Amino acid sequence: MASSSPATCSLLNIASRAASTVSSAASAYTSRVRLMPCYTTTTFKGVGLRGGSLLPFPCSSPTRVFFSVRSPIWKSFSSSTSSVATDKEALDSSMDDVQRRLMFEDECILVDEKDHVIGHDSKYNCHLMEKIESENLLHRAFSIFLFNSKYELLLQQRSATKVTFPEVWTNTCCSHPLYRDSELIEENFLGVKNAAQRKLFDELGIPAEGLPTDKFIPLGRILYKAPSDGKWGEHELDYLLFIVVDVKLNPNPDEVADVKYVNRDQLRELLRKADAGEDGIKLSPWFKLVADNFLFKWWDHVEEGTLQEAADMKTIHKL
């Protein structure tokens, strides 16, 4: 890069040197790292890659050069950390581009059975039954139950492209806080609430300003394990968040196939049909557990405006 002008650096040279550096690193350290190909948007800024992995190609210009590319890169992980997906798994043809990106870019929060943070791992690894069984991977999650002013519960049907439990009906929104500062905040469960805001916008198009974090009421936590098919499954410590608010919906078809509000009687009928196998209706296992154990008695508190009285965040219910 010594030939770079004092005003700028060649973007093509930066990209070439970056690729060369990553390739050399892969060859030099195969004995102690495993490599995973994934698709990501990478931003080059002068001397480094976004995410903290610095590359040794200094720019002679004081001007910070940056650009973004959507391309496959190699991410390396130390063999001392939890193992990662193989090349074959990384290129899993069963996933569409959106789900593949989420599987490899999202880092879930690993916890023990007392909900203490013990690390992080990719969403991909956290949902492989092989990893769940062999390494007992347990990650933090949340399930949102959003009621309108008529005290009807908003349900969603998961899209057909979801990796786990596609096309099943479930509560309003179910996802994971990620391993990032804003979603690791323990005080007042703010990290989980921030994640809930993020995913309600991602999945249902509800802007954060319509969902103040102090409106989310955590009522409890459950710990459960559920296989989805032979390959995928869930092992989650799940925060149950309730909120009463009227919202406008703009569902994301990559995440959501359908939505509907139900009252108590309509939900009971849905549960009956799912149990009987009628109309092809299936429910997510976590929603079924909450419905069978907690939901209807908590619904009383929704209507009476006494949700805080029902909250028990000290107990982790193993179901």
Side-chain angles (χ1 to χ4, degrees):
M1 299 288 292
S3 61
S4 300
S5 69
T8 187
C9 292
S10 167
L11 301 185
L12 291 178
N13 285 345
I14 290 175
S16 176
R17 293 292 295 277
S20 175
T21 301
V22 173
S23 178
S24 297
S27 298
Y29 296 104
T30 52
S31 62
R32 63 184 178 87
V33 301
R34 298 184 65 192
L35 300 173
M36 179 177 74
C38 67
Y39 284 84
T40 186
T41 300
T42 304
T43 301
F44 295 88
K45 294 185 178 180
V47 298
L49 278 167
R50 185 179 62 186
S53 297
L54 295 181
L55 297 178
F57 49 95
C59 176
S60 61
S61 167
T63 303
R64 289 200 305 171
V65 176
F66 64 93
F67 63 96
S68 295
V69 293
R70 180 83 165 86
S71 62
I73 66 168
W74 288 95
K75 294 179 72 176
S76 63
F77 295 81
S78 168
S79 58
S80 63
T81 64
S82 58
S83 59
V84 298
T86 65
D87 295 0
K88 183 178 180 181
E89 291 168 333
L91 298 173
D92 195 317
S93 60
S94 66
M95 298 183 214
D96 70 0
D97 288 342
V98 172
Q99 297 302 323
R100 184 180 295 112
R101 174 179 59 80
L102 294 174
M103 278 293 198
F104 293 125
E105 291 187 1
D106 285 359
E107 289 284 312
C108 294
I109 301 169
L110 297 180
V111 295
D112 62 21
E113 292 193 354
K114 294 183 178 180
D115 200 20
H116 300 137
V117 176
I118 59 174
H120 58 97
D121 208 337
S122 68
K123 182 178 177 182
Y124 189 102
N125 280 345
C126 287
H127 291 84
L128 277 175
M129 284 307 298
E130 178 185 355
K131 298 285 186 184
I132 291 171
E133 297 293 356
S134 65
E135 301 179 25
N136 197 34
L137 293 186
L138 174 65
H139 61 276
R140 187 175 286 172
F142 60 83
S143 290
I144 302 165
F145 294 76
L146 185 151
F147 294 81
N148 62 19
S149 56
K150 298 178 182 178
Y151 307 123
E152 297 169 321
L153 173 62
L154 178 61
L155 304 183
Q156 70 154 276
Q157 185 183 30
R158 292 162 66 86
S159 77
T161 60
K162 298 288 279 188
V163 174
T164 58
F165 302 100
E167 299 183 291
V168 306
W169 282 95
T170 191
N171 49 285
T172 310
C173 179
C174 331
S175 191
H176 320 91
L178 301 181
Y179 194 81
R180 56 177 64 164
D181 289 345
S182 63
E183 297 183 13
L184 283 163
I185 302 171
E186 302 281 354
E187 185 178 0
N188 295 323
F189 314 105
L190 184 57
V192 175
K193 294 177 181 180
N194 286 336
Q197 275 189 336
R198 172 177 58 82
K199 286 305 294 183
L200 282 168
F201 179 73
D202 287 350
E203 295 192 3
L204 295 168
I206 307 171
E209 53 266 29
L211 301 163
T213 55
D214 61 359
K215 294 288 187 180
F216 289 100
I217 301 177
L219 291 191
R221 291 176 291 177
I222 63 172
L223 194 163
Y224 76 96
K225 183 189 295 185
S228 175
D229 55 23
K231 182 174 183 178
W232 306 105
E234 297 284 4
H235 190 206
E236 297 185 326
L237 203 153
D238 195 8
Y239 285 64
L240 309 179
L241 303 178
F242 277 50
I243 185 170
V244 181
V245 62
D246 288 320
V247 295
K248 292 183 178 180
L249 303 175
N250 183 22
N252 175 0
D254 288 323
E255 298 281 353
V256 178
D258 198 2
V259 294
K260 63 181 175 182
Y261 283 97
V262 295
N263 60 31
R264 294 196 208 207
D265 290 339
Q266 290 167 331
L267 180 57
R268 286 192 178 98
E269 178 63 10
L270 190 71
L271 292 167
R272 185 195 68 78
K273 287 185 175 181
D275 287 341
E278 292 183 16
D279 300 336
I281 292 174
K282 296 181 179 179
L283 303 179
S284 71
W286 58 89
F287 180 46
K288 184 69 163 57
L289 287 170
V290 175
D292 288 346
N293 290 277
F294 308 108
L295 181 53
F296 289 101
K297 63 183 179 183
W298 286 346
W299 211 312
D300 292 336
H301 291 279
V302 171
E303 295 180 351
E304 295 166 6
T306 57
L307 276 172
Q308 292 285 5
E309 295 179 11
D312 174 13
M313 296 304 293
K314 293 182 179 180
T315 305
I316 297 174
H317 300 275
K318 295 183 179 180
L319 303 176

